[in-house]
Amino acid sequence: MLRETHVNALILLALLAVPLGALVLDQPFIITLATKVTILALAGVGLNLALGQGGLVSFGHAIFFGLGGYSMGILASHAQSFTPLMEVPFVIPGTNLMPVIWIVAIAVSCLAALVVGALSLRTSGVYFIMVTLAFGQMFYYFAISWPAYGGEDGLSIYVRNQFPGLNTLVPIQFFGLCFAVLCAVLFLVSRLNKSAFGLALTGAHYSPVRAMSVGIEVTRLRLVAFVISGGITGLAGALFADLNRFVSPTMFSWHTSGEIIIFIILGGVARLCGPIAGAAAYIILEQYLGGFSEYWQIYLGLILLFVVLFAQGGLIGSLSKREIVRG
Amino acid sequence: MGDPILSVRDVHKAFGALKASDGVSLELRAGEIHALIGPNGAGKSTLIQQIAGGLAPDSGTVEFVGRDISGTSTAQRARLGLARTFQISALAMQFTVLENVVLGLVGERGHVFRFFRPVMKDAAYLDPAHAILKRVGLHDVAHMRTAELSHGQRRQLEVAVALTLAPKAFLMDEPMAGLGADGSKALTQLLADLKTHAPILLVEHDMDAVFALADRISVLVYGKIIATGTVDAIRANPEVRAAYLGDGEIPA
C-alpha cells in the first residue's frame, strides 16, 4: 500500500505521460482524450469540495459546468461575428481570450452558486439533492428554449479561443494548458482542505450540531464552500466548451451532474485526486466498453455498484493507506 | 454566590397542548454548579435547547452575561462563551481527538474563513489544544481517532471541546450518562474543578453525582420549576419527594 500523496503523484504523472507518449506515437486522438479527462476531472475536483469535504450531495453541478460553457460560447460567438454582447448602457464586446473567458465563467458560476446555494442549503439530505436537481433542470430547459444562442441545437465556435503565447489548436499545447490549470486548482484545493476552513467544513459534515455549538455558522460556511465548488466546475465548463468548440444544453442536463458525481464515487469521495482517477476510468470505460457494446453503461453500473458496496474509498482508497491524521 | 451569568426569565414553550416549559425561571450564578433535575418528560431537554439555541421560546427571555440572547443563533451563543456538552456525544467521530479540539478553537476564534494556512501545523491552535487535552487528561490519545475512544474518554473530550470556547458558562446535558463508577468519579472530580473556571448548569440523572457536586438544585416537573435550593433543602422538600423522588428513600 502506498501513501495517498504518492498515489496522487503517480496519477498526475500518468495523466501527463499518456499524452506525451501519444505525441511521440503521433496519436492526436489520445491527446484529446487525455485533455477530456483533465477537464472532466477539474469539474469533479470542484464538486468534490462540496460533496466530499462538505457532504453536500449536489445533483445540480451541471448548472455551473453549463454556465462555464455558455460563458465561453456567448463571448466567443460575439467575437467571431464581431458584434458586441451589449451596447446599452455601455458596450461589452465579445472576446476570444481564454483568461478573460475563464474569469467570466468563474464569476458567473460563483454568482449562480450563491443564489442556488442560498436557496437549496436551507434543506439537507435527500431534499438538498432534489432541490439542486430541480435548479439544474430549470437551467437546462432555459438553455433549450433560449433561441439567441442556438437553443436546442447548441452553438458552434469555429476557432478555439486563444491563450497568450500558445497555439491552442495544437492538441498537446491545449492539453498542457488544461493540465496546468488542473494542477493549480489541485494545489489551491489541497491548501483549502488543510486550512481552518477545510477543518470546519469537514467538521460540519461529520457533526453539524457540534460545529454549531462551537460557534460555526454552518449554513454560511457551506454556502462559501458551494460557491467555490461551483466556480471550479464553471471553469471546467469553459475549458470543456473550448475542447469541443461547441456548447449545447446537454452541458446543463442532469446526466452531466450525474457523470460528475460518478467520477467522484469511482475515484474516491473526498480524495484530492479521486476525480482524476474517476474521470480517467470513466473515459477509458466509455472508449473500450463503448466499442464492445452499445450498452456499455450497464457495465459501468455494475462497476459503480461494486465500488459503492465493497470499495467505498474508490480507486484512490483501494490503492492507498487511509491517512486520517492531518498535518 | 456570585452574580447571575445566565438568567432564564419566565420562559414558555408549548408543543400543541403540551406545555414543555410553563413559565420557567432560573439563574446560574458565578462559581456554582446548578443541577437541573426532573422526571423523564419534565421538559429538561426543551429548556436546554432554548438556552443553547435551536429552539426559540414562545415567550420569555434568556439572558447571558448581561445580554438578551433569545433571538441569537446557536453559533452566536457559543461564541459568547456558552459552552454545551451533549447527552449523546456529538463529536466528529472520524476526526482525531486533537482535530475535534482544534475545530472548537477555530469556531471560537471566528477563523472559519481562513483558507490557506494549514491549521493542524499551526502552533497558535496546537499549543492551546494540547493544553486543554492535558487538563482533561486526554493528552496521550491526542492523535487517536475519536471513534476509537472509550465512552468515558468521549465524555472527557466533550468537556475539552467545551473548554475551547473560553466559556463563561457550561451547559452540560447528562455528562455522566453511561459511565461506570470509575469514570463517573473521575468526571465528578473534573466538574468540581471546572466550576471555579465557569459555572455549570448540569442536567443529570445520576443522583450521587448531583448530590455530590451541586451547590443548588432546581426541580423541573411538567414544565414548571417546583423548587430551587441547596442540596439539603431539596432533599427535605416534601413536594419534591412526592413529585420526583417518590416516597422511597433518597440516596445519601
Side-chain angles (χ1 to χ4, degrees), chain A residues 153-231:
Chain A
D153 298 330
L155 187 61
S156 283
I157 304 300
Y158 301 108
V159 179
R160 190 169 284 158
N161 293 298
Q162 292 162 8
F163 191 90
L166 291 179
N167 180 356
T168 52
L169 279 167
V170 177
I172 195 70
Q173 295 202 17
F174 185 57
F175 167 81
L177 184 62
C178 294
F179 187 77
V181 169
L182 177 66
C183 288
V185 170
L186 282 176
F187 172 73
L188 292 178
V189 169
S190 76
R191 290 302 294 251
L192 205 69
N193 288 344
K194 286 178 188 146
S195 71
F197 175 79
L199 186 77
L201 184 64
T202 312
H205 170 197
Y206 291 155
S207 178
V209 181
R210 164 60 57 200
M212 273 183 251
S213 69
V214 294
I216 295 169
E217 303 284 358
V218 169
T219 305
R220 197 184 305 164
L221 171 74
R222 287 179 172 164
L223 184 58
V224 171
F226 196 74
V227 167
I228 298 172
S229 162

Side-chain angles (χ1 to χ4, degrees), chain A residues 2 11 39 48 53 74 98 143 169 181 197 222 228-229 254 273 298 324:
Chain A
L2 296 161
I11 287 173
I39 295 170
N48 207 11
Q53 249 65 41
I74 291 170
M98 282 190 195
L169 279 167
V181 169
F197 175 79
R222 287 179 172 164
I228 298 172
S229 162
W254 66 271
C273 287
I298 293 175
I324 303 293

Side-chain angles (χ1 to χ4, degrees), chain A residues 188 191-192 194-197 199-200 202-203 206-207 209-210 212-217 220-221 224 228 324-327, chain B residues 73 75-76 78-79 86 90 94-95 99 102-103 107-108 111-121 145 158 161 165:
Chain A
L188 292 178
R191 290 302 294 251
L192 205 69
K194 286 178 188 146
S195 71
F197 175 79
L199 186 77
T202 312
Y206 291 155
S207 178
V209 181
R210 164 60 57 200
M212 273 183 251
S213 69
V214 294
I216 295 169
E217 303 284 358
R220 197 184 305 164
L221 171 74
V224 171
I228 298 172
I324 303 293
V325 179
R326 287 148 194 268
Chain B
S73 72
Q76 281 170 312
R79 288 198 300 273
F86 292 87
Q94 297 91 326
F95 273 0
E99 282 171 336
V102 171
L103 179 67
E108 192 271 327
H111 288 177
V112 170
F113 295 116
R114 294 196 168 185
F115 295 101
F116 291 107
R117 206 180 306 163
V119 69
M120 296 307 293
K121 288 180 179 163
R145 240 159 63 102
E158 281 276 338
V161 175
L165 296 175

Side-chain angles (χ1 to χ4, degrees), chain A residues 289-302:
Chain A
L289 287 180
F292 163 71
S293 159
E294 204 180 322
Y295 305 107
W296 69 278
Q297 285 172 325
I298 293 175
Y299 301 100
L300 176 70
L302 288 175

